[in-house]
Amino acid sequence: MRIFTAALATETNTFSPICVDRRAFEASLYAPPGQHPQTPTLCSAPITVGRRVCAEKGWVLIEGTAAWADPAGLVSRSTYEGLRDEVLTQLEAAMPVDAVVLGLHGAMVAAGYEDTEGDILVRVREIVGPDVLVCAELDPHSHLTAKRLGAADFFIYFKEFPHTDFVDRAEDLWRIAVETLEGRVAPVMSVFDCRMIDVYPTSRDPMRSFVDKIMRMEKDDADILSISVIHGFMAGDVPEMGTKMLVVTNDELEKGNTLARELGLELFSKRGTFIMPQIDEIEAVGQAMAAQSWPVVIADVWDNPGGGTAGDATVVLQELLARGATGVAIGTIWDPMAVQICMAAGEGAEIPLRFGAKSAPGTGNPVDGVVKIVKLVTNAQMRFGESFAPFGDAAHIVLDGIDIILNSTRAQSFDPSLFSAMGIDPLSKKVLVIKSTNHFFASFSKIAAQIIYCSAGTPYPNNPAKTPYRWAPKNIWPMVENPHGR
């Protein structure tokens, strides 16, 4: 067997002011053929798992480019077309192949392309023809479109949010691909549109129980190859935005259709109960400062670079400064210009500095003060499960007794190693302020005495009922109360 694999992924917040060009991919991950590291990123796990699987089977794996950019706004047309054509040219050169196994995200939007993954998959299908297996692993925070369904044989999505299972799902992808190529299964996809959009953390019920249920169903029913919840991505203003249920069966389309509908309606019945309760910055800081055990983690959930925001909001920091808080570490505030100034000044310097809140309204105000530069790190990175997440050149500064990490590559706060990489012991702090909606939970929950979910400012369009969508469907919950008529 000859199998082609590649990865091209980012998550597009169409409301974000930060445009994505090729440099954004190069800052996060750009690996030409054969140069992908042994450690996978979220969307490139099919490549690393594929190396092992093909080696064991004695098959030929032809690797194309792997590219990933941290979530932001629209991808420039030239950047998307350039990376897409790079991969497609590699596929054409690899022909003939027996299968194409891809790592995609599912929520990329480029200028002129509302459905980039659909565009890629259609072009792949045109190259390989109707009989070659085409499959992909994707992020659940994405859009499942008719174009994609028509071009691929099957999809596998991460089940967990935080996405701690991206390698496990790549294993599922390859298992089904191998069984298909060896003639043991014939995957077919069934989809049900839940006609809703919500946030579904699997670290808490009811989503925890729902994911456990579908995993038991996969294990107990031989007809079911995979079940996925496509959460949808509420910051992606595209026509097919919303939550979908996907069931992949072994040539049992009607059974899959029935199951997808049953599970989709069960999910819909729990709408509005999934996301964790949130409080504003005033209450959050008050609770944290009154705590008697530490560290307390304040999650600034909507200034989350993992959802495409800048990550430069200062609302929580300003509240802490106003109250004279101490024993606090902030990770992070994105400000490449301020980092550059700190790099020029050097470790140990004390300088006047303005930083933060440059990206958009609703992110607070820039902070001014005389800061001490404690530590400077080039190409800093933190852990994220089995992977590493870069946060670029970074500066650890202190302002009025508060430790602050300024970073130059946007990244949400995945792991406490974010702090230790900058010389801050997270266990020594009373309060850790991080920027993440839920990915942080897998690691920070292990050290936190308390987690406070804070909704501060308006950097992210987090209320779909009020978001000024232009293209997204209007007949889904919470835009309407009961789109299913029950």
Side-chain angles (χ1 to χ4, degrees):
M1 294 285 180
R2 290 172 53 82
I3 302 178
F4 178 82
T5 186
L8 179 55
T10 191
E11 181 181 78
T12 301
N13 178 338
T14 58
F15 298 91
S16 174
I18 301 170
C19 295
V20 174
D21 62 6
R22 190 179 180 94
R23 291 173 298 177
F25 285 91
E26 292 170 348
S28 298
L29 173 71
Y30 174 75
Q35 296 184 26
H36 191 285
Q38 290 301 313
T39 303
T41 64
L42 281 172
C43 296
S44 70
I47 294 174
T48 56
V49 172
R51 288 173 177 168
R52 178 186 56 77
V53 171
C54 288
E56 291 173 353
K57 303 294 292 185
W59 295 352
V60 176
L61 183 69
I62 303 105
E63 294 185 20
T65 293
W68 156 261
D70 280 283
L74 285 179
V75 180
S76 74
R77 184 173 192 133
S78 62
T79 296
Y80 165 64
E81 290 179 342
L83 290 169
R84 176 202 67 191
D85 292 349
E86 186 174 324
V87 170
L88 294 176
T89 299
Q90 293 160 355
L91 172 59
E92 289 173 336
M95 293 293 289
V97 298
D98 298 284
V100 177
V101 181
L102 297 174
L104 303 172
H105 184 282
M108 183 194 297
V109 182
Y113 295 89
E114 68 186 25
D115 182 8
T116 61
E117 287 86 356
D119 176 62
I120 294 166
L121 289 163
V122 165
R123 291 171 188 270
V124 166
R125 180 60 73 190
E126 289 172 348
I127 291 170
V128 302
D131 300 325
V132 170
L133 176 68
V134 176
C135 59
E137 180 187 25
L138 301 100
D139 189 302
H141 294 120
S142 58
H143 319 293
L144 180 55
T145 68
K147 181 183 287 188
R148 302 174 196 187
L149 289 166
D153 291 281
F154 72 94
F155 296 128
I156 298 291
Y157 290 78
F158 314 150
K159 284 182 171 63
E160 301 292 348
F161 174 38
H163 301 327
T164 54
D165 64 330
F166 57 94
V167 174
D168 292 335
R169 300 291 77 80
E171 295 281 0
D172 289 345
L173 181 77
W174 275 97
R175 172 179 51 81
I176 298 171
V178 168
E179 292 176 347
T180 303
L181 291 168
E182 294 182 340
R184 299 198 298 276
V185 301
V188 294
M189 292 190 284
S190 298
V191 178
F192 179 74
D193 186 349
C194 300
R195 298 179 70 174
M196 64 190 290
I197 187 66
D198 209 340
V199 177
Y200 307 91
T202 61
S203 50
R204 66 191 299 270
D205 274 332
M207 200 61 188
R208 177 69 267 148
S209 296
F210 190 84
V211 169
D212 290 342
K213 174 181 176 177
I214 64 176
M215 293 181 76
R216 286 194 302 270
M217 295 174 75
E218 290 175 336
K219 182 179 179 181
D220 295 342
D221 191 330
D223 290 334
I224 299 172
L225 302 179
S226 174
I227 303 174
S228 298
V229 181
I230 295 85
H231 297 194
F233 185 53
M234 66 172 62
D237 187 6
V238 295
E240 295 178 77
M241 184 269 285
T243 302
K244 312 279 172 57
M245 184 66 57
L246 171 66
V247 177
V248 182
T249 59
N250 181 13
D251 201 23
E252 293 285 350
L253 182 62
E254 289 306 315
K255 180 175 181 176
N257 289 345
T258 299
L259 182 56
R261 178 178 176 81
E262 289 175 354
L263 291 171
L265 289 175
E266 179 182 344
L267 199 69
F268 180 80
S269 71
K270 304 178 190 300
R271 64 197 181 278
T273 66
F274 296 99
I275 196 169
M276 62 295 294
Q278 302 153 45
I279 56 179
D280 68 18
E281 68 278 5
I282 296 173
E283 189 175 353
V285 170
Q287 284 189 18
M289 293 181 68
Q292 297 300 307
S293 56
W294 307 284
V296 175
V297 171
I298 299 178
D300 190 354
V301 296
W302 296 120
D303 189 31
N304 173 18
T309 68
D312 71 344
T314 60
V315 177
V316 177
L317 171 59
Q318 288 177 311
E319 182 65 22
L320 287 160
L321 288 168
R323 296 198 187 196
T326 57
V328 177
I330 310 283
T332 58
I333 293 178
W334 178 66
D335 195 328
M337 183 181 297
V339 171
Q340 186 176 11
I341 292 170
C342 291
M343 288 283 184
E347 291 183 357
E350 294 191 23
I351 61 171
L353 188 67
R354 166 171 284 200
F355 61 91
K358 295 180 174 69
S359 65
T363 57
N365 297 310
V367 174
D368 292 285
V370 175
V371 306
K372 181 173 182 178
I373 302 168
V374 178
K375 187 176 180 65
L376 300 169
V377 177
T378 57
N379 300 317
Q381 59 183 6
M382 68 186 118
R383 291 204 62 88
F384 177 42
E386 298 180 46
S387 184
F388 290 91
F391 56 99
D393 293 349
H396 167 194
I397 62 172
V398 175
L399 173 64
D400 293 348
I402 294 179
D403 293 88
I404 302 161
I405 298 172
L406 305 176
N407 60 317
S408 56
T409 296
R410 293 177 312 104
Q412 65 177 300
S413 313
F414 289 113
D415 185 88
S417 58
L418 164 70
F419 293 99
S420 55
M422 300 305 299
I424 300 169
D425 177 5
L427 295 177
S428 71
K429 296 299 176 182
K430 292 184 176 180
V431 181
L432 301 172
V433 179
I434 61 173
K435 302 205 170 189
S436 177
T437 304
N438 199 51
H439 278 310
F440 74 92
F441 186 87
S443 56
F444 278 95
S445 62
K446 297 174 182 176
I447 69 166
Q450 180 185 359
I451 295 175
I452 298 171
Y453 294 90
C454 178
S455 177
T458 55
Y460 182 95
N462 60 65
N463 185 344
K466 297 181 179 180
T467 300
Y469 295 114
R470 297 177 61 199
W471 310 111
K474 305 298 191 298
N475 61 339
I476 65 174
W477 183 89
M479 291 76 140
V480 295
E481 180 55 35
N482 201 345
H484 293 286
R486 10 174 108 213

